[in-house]
Amino acid sequence: AGECSRPFDLLTVFRYLDNRRGDEESTWELGTRLVWQAAEKLAVSGEWLARTSGDDSADRAVGVAEYEITKSTFLYASFGRDFEEKGTRRNLVSLIGITFGFGNKPILTTSE
């Protein structure tokens, strides 16, 4: 099988979080992420996630850029708006980091 030749990927998520403690209501989340492979080692994406819990609802919108430094090391940056917390105005997402992958990638084999 060859590598994917399409520069766009669309991912969706649907999640239900059941709160069994009883102190908070259960939560529903629905979201999507569109990833554009801008260059061989650069991917840019935008993601949106909506959350509903009882009568409260909020959403999150973030842009992400990822650059492959080596096969197991990536530089990433995120910027956007996170879920709002009651009583606070802190909902900015601003993050830059490096991800290091340790160990070998698993080898998948198929029997013919």
Side-chain angles (χ1 to χ4, degrees):
E3 291 186 25
C4 179
S5 62
R6 294 195 171 98
F8 291 97
D9 289 311
L10 180 65
L11 306 136
T12 58
V13 63
F14 178 73
R15 180 168 58 177
Y16 174 72
L17 303 170
D18 185 19
N19 182 4
R20 296 185 182 234
R21 290 185 187 170
D23 56 343
E24 295 180 15
E25 295 190 34
S26 299
T27 303
W28 293 91
E29 292 183 344
L30 173 67
T32 188
R33 180 178 186 190
L34 179 63
V35 181
W36 173 43
Q37 190 76 36
E40 184 178 343
K41 295 186 175 211
L42 176 66
V44 180
S45 64
E47 59 187 48
W48 171 80
L49 185 66
R51 177 183 289 170
T52 302
S53 178
D55 294 334
D56 295 330
S57 64
D59 64 328
R60 175 182 201 264
V62 176
V64 181
E66 299 168 293
Y67 181 76
E68 181 182 323
I69 298 170
T70 68
K71 291 290 183 192
S72 62
T73 307
F74 294 86
L75 174 67
Y76 63 89
S78 300
F79 185 79
R81 181 176 45 91
D82 203 357
F83 297 111
E84 291 187 29
E85 295 178 30
K86 291 181 180 180
T88 184
R89 294 179 59 183
R90 297 177 299 162
N91 66 343
L92 176 69
V93 173
S94 177
L95 181 66
I96 295 175
I98 295 179
T99 302
F100 297 98
F102 297 104
N104 295 326
K105 292 184 179 181
I107 298 172
L108 302 177
T109 59
T110 58
S111 58
E112 294 183 26

